[in-house]
Amino acid sequence: MDILNITRANTEWQPDSKNVDINEWFLMGSPAPVLLIMATYWLFVIKVGPSVMSKRSPLTLRNIMAAYNFGQIILAFAIFSKGAAFMWNNGFIQTECIMENIELKHSVTNGVYLYLITKITELLDTVFFILRKKYNQASFLHIYHHSITVLSTWIALKYEPNTNSTLFVGTLNSFVHIIMYTYYALSAYPQLTKYLWWKKYITKLQLVMSYLFL
């Protein structure tokens, strides 16, 4: 099944009685809102944040980050479950366009939209690095990765997501993030660090994902 077909004369979804009107969804009417979010993100993590923190002590943010990490685990699990269930019920490789099936179309678009929201909330990863003065972790690759995932997901959703690529990547990425944010949440508690021997495998997973999907 190929939902994304750039050879069509009109690739952007048009609202009608049979279509999902993606243009009415939050952040989806035009690229302006998401570009404003990204511009604010870049300005803060590159210029404003380091400047503000230069004369301040690093913030701990333990409770805030614990709540954030557990929230990300829940979101990642929801997306992974939805994506895995869809592929289990409808097949990994789609052979015909599901855009004629309104129920399946809603399922795909809602899943990709939730994935987009999580990519935006994950920009806070970098913000926390800056506030904690972990500047080495806010590397160019880190910022680039977070930026490109937001922008590419928005474009995929706006111009029809492809279940053979967007859905698979989102599902796999969410599985990795369940593991990653579980580690982050547990590492906030010093008494649990001895059980976090599997950190090196998370790094390897992240590198594989970066090579495959950046």
Side-chain angles (χ1 to χ4, degrees), residues 6 53 84 136:
I6 60 175
M53 294 303 299
N136 61 312

Side-chain angles (χ1 to χ4, degrees), residues 26-88:
F26 178 61
L27 299 176
M28 297 308 300
S30 80
V34 76
L35 289 176
L36 179 60
I37 290 173
M38 296 311 304
T40 303
Y41 168 73
W42 294 325
L43 182 62
F44 180 83
V45 301
I46 295 173
K47 181 69 176 178
V48 175
S51 177
V52 169
M53 294 303 299
S54 63
K55 297 181 180 180
R56 289 175 169 80
S57 299
L59 302 181
T60 305
L61 305 175
R62 178 171 296 174
N63 293 333
I64 293 175
M65 290 186 62
Y68 167 76
N69 289 326
F70 281 116
Q72 291 297 338
I73 294 169
I74 293 171
L75 288 173
F77 183 79
I79 296 171
F80 172 74
S81 300
K82 187 178 182 68
F86 182 91
M87 289 187 287
W88 177 267

Side-chain angles (χ1 to χ4, degrees), residues 15-165:
D16 57 41
S17 60
K18 297 181 180 180
N19 251 337
V20 177
D21 187 1
I22 200 73
N23 299 305
E24 293 186 354
W25 292 12
F26 178 61
L27 299 176
M28 297 308 300
S30 80
V34 76
L35 289 176
L36 179 60
I37 290 173
M38 296 311 304
T40 303
Y41 168 73
W42 294 325
L43 182 62
F44 180 83
V45 301
I46 295 173
K47 181 69 176 178
V48 175
S51 177
V52 169
M53 294 303 299
S54 63
K55 297 181 180 180
R56 289 175 169 80
S57 299
L59 302 181
T60 305
L61 305 175
R62 178 171 296 174
N63 293 333
I64 293 175
M65 290 186 62
Y68 167 76
N69 289 326
F70 281 116
Q72 291 297 338
I73 294 169
I74 293 171
L75 288 173
F77 183 79
I79 296 171
F80 172 74
S81 300
K82 187 178 182 68
F86 182 91
M87 289 187 287
W88 177 267
N89 293 325
N90 299 282
F92 175 70
I93 301 297
Q94 308 300 322
T95 57
E96 60 183 59
C97 186
I98 67 169
M99 300 308 283
E100 303 301 325
N101 187 316
I102 300 301
E103 182 179 351
L104 291 181
K105 182 177 177 179
H106 273 276
S107 179
V108 172
T109 53
N110 287 335
V112 178
Y113 183 70
L114 179 59
Y115 183 72
L116 171 64
I117 297 302
T118 65
K119 296 304 104 179
I120 293 174
T121 61
E122 285 169 12
L123 297 177
L124 288 173
D125 286 1
T126 325
V127 173
F128 291 144
F129 286 154
I130 299 301
L131 295 179
R132 296 167 64 212
K133 303 185 79 169
K134 303 286 186 179
Y135 300 135
N136 61 312
Q137 293 179 292
S139 64
F140 170 80
L141 182 61
H142 171 90
I143 296 171
Y144 173 79
H145 171 77
H146 279 279
S147 300
I148 203 67
T149 51
V150 171
L151 296 174
S152 61
T153 303
W154 187 93
I155 292 170
L157 181 59
K158 183 72 170 181
Y159 295 96
E160 305 184 12
N162 182 301
T163 55
N164 292 332
S165 58

